[in-house]
Amino acid sequence: MNNFNICRFGKTFHWYLSVIFYPWLMWTIGYALVTFFGEWLFWYFHKGQSSEYIIDSIAGFFAVFIVIGLAVGVSQIFSDINKNARREAFLMLPASNIEKYLSAVIFVTVIWTFCTFLSFAVGDTARMIFRSLTYGEEWVSGIPELLDHMTPRFNDTSSFSYNMMERTLLAVIILWVHSAYVLGGTLLRKYSFILTSMVIILVVALFGRVLMYFEISIFQTKWEDNVCIDASVGAMAYVLVVVLPLLACFNYWASYHIFKGFQLITNKWTNYDFFKR
């Protein structure tokens, strides 16, 4: 089966959810507990501070925590089928490779994102209930502040091209990072998050050094009295908007190519045999 069938894909996705439901449920519960105890510690160590200050501190911390959690989830895309029994069952499903692959990608991209935010909401609500019953405090949710911290901040300029390019560039950067973690999670069986993150950091650092060495600017702005009086888009921004989606497409293609080569017995560290004939 090489073609894509939406009904067959739905059944494949349902099977995938049922198989990995328990381990990912444990992850979600664990995140919720971390949120609850983390917020409790914030309130404990910031006694005397206003609730607005504490909630803002909590949101700032957990915004970073959630982003890392999302990256970990994507990088663990096939970790739950590393065991031989699950891998054999997954590979033997009456579905095409693209249906199996998309089931995993959609899960770690959509379902895991939802579960991560749900775990924060559950932990935050448990903290509010606990402190309300114990100390009689009013219910102050950290969700609005969390969403505010996770909302990108863009320069407010009068240049339409500048504003659109900022948003477009952020979108393609997120796409490229996502594709890199998908590729890393597909290729590596161990330490996929750590090793992929190291590669991403190295690439970004080298790219930054190149920009500094050649004095290349992606964006240029001029401010007077906290007001932007001039904003322009550098040529590198247009290059990145074209190159990053192409690199992302290559990462997804390479990830899918590796997935098609999955075997029941494979290398201890990788899912792909680079030396096969």
Side-chain angles (χ1 to χ4, degrees):
M1 288 179 288
N2 296 318
N3 62 320
F4 179 85
N5 182 280
I6 188 65
C7 294
R8 196 169 58 220
F9 166 72
K11 294 178 181 179
T12 304
F13 188 62
H14 180 267
W15 180 92
Y16 190 82
L17 287 177
S18 64
V19 168
I20 66 173
F21 173 77
Y22 180 75
W24 285 95
L25 176 62
M26 294 298 101
W27 271 89
T28 304
I29 294 174
Y31 269 52
L33 291 174
V34 169
T35 300
F36 171 74
F37 287 110
E39 291 194 9
W40 183 84
L41 288 175
F42 267 93
W43 284 89
Y44 179 82
F45 288 112
H46 290 83
K47 290 180 179 179
Q49 300 284 353
S50 65
S51 59
E52 291 79 8
Y53 172 82
I54 299 175
I55 289 296
D56 185 70
S57 300
I58 288 173
F61 173 80
F62 278 97
V64 177
F65 182 78
I66 286 176
V67 170
I68 294 175
L70 294 177
V72 170
V74 175
S75 69
Q76 300 296 309
I77 181 170
F78 291 111
S79 62
D80 290 305
I81 62 167
N82 277 340
K83 294 182 179 179
N84 288 352
R86 286 184 179 177
R87 179 175 288 242
E88 181 180 12
F90 186 61
L91 296 178
M92 293 297 292
L93 283 177
S96 63
N97 286 324
I98 188 63
E99 291 161 358
K100 300 173 190 176
Y101 179 76
L102 286 179
S103 295
V105 172
I106 290 175
F107 177 84
V108 296
T109 304
V110 179
I111 306 300
W112 179 235
T113 299
F114 172 77
C115 290
T116 302
F117 282 97
L118 176 64
S119 65
F120 177 84
V122 170
D124 187 64
T125 302
R127 182 267 306 167
M128 288 190 292
I129 295 174
F130 174 79
R131 294 197 65 84
S132 176
L133 295 177
T134 307
Y135 303 104
E137 295 178 349
E138 62 177 339
W139 287 35
V140 182
S141 175
I143 296 177
E145 286 295 327
L146 175 74
L147 295 177
D148 181 67
H149 275 271
M150 298 192 72
T151 302
R153 300 294 194 274
F154 298 107
N155 291 322
D156 186 16
T157 71
S158 59
S159 173
F160 177 78
S161 61
Y162 183 96
N163 295 335
M164 287 301 298
M165 184 57 70
E166 266 196 320
R167 289 156 178 78
T168 303
L169 186 57
L170 175 63
V172 297
I173 289 174
I174 293 174
L175 177 67
W176 173 73
V177 171
H178 179 270
S179 69
Y181 278 113
V182 168
L183 176 58
T186 308
L187 174 64
L188 302 171
R189 299 190 67 185
K190 290 187 176 183
Y191 310 114
S192 56
F193 171 71
I194 295 175
L195 295 177
T196 305
S197 297
M198 291 175 62
V199 172
I200 292 175
I201 292 172
L202 178 61
V203 170
V204 173
L206 290 175
F207 180 70
R209 292 289 297 178
V210 170
L211 293 182
M212 292 177 60
Y213 182 81
F214 292 101
E215 298 182 350
I216 300 173
S217 297
I218 299 177
F219 295 104
Q220 293 180 340
T221 56
K222 185 177 180 180
W223 298 79
E224 287 186 4
D225 298 326
N226 293 325
V227 177
C228 181
I229 61 174
D230 183 53
S232 60
V233 181
M236 182 55 68
Y238 295 99
V239 173
L240 291 175
V241 166
V242 174
V243 172
L244 288 180
L246 293 177
L247 291 176
C249 289
F250 172 79
N251 289 342
Y252 290 127
W253 173 84
S255 172
Y256 178 59
H257 181 74
I258 294 170
F259 171 75
K260 289 195 300 181
F262 271 22
Q263 301 293 328
L264 181 59
I265 300 176
T266 186
N267 187 278
K268 181 179 179 180
W269 287 89
T270 67
N271 284 308
Y272 188 78
D273 184 4
F274 290 97
F275 301 101
K276 66 181 179 179
R277 295 293 184 265

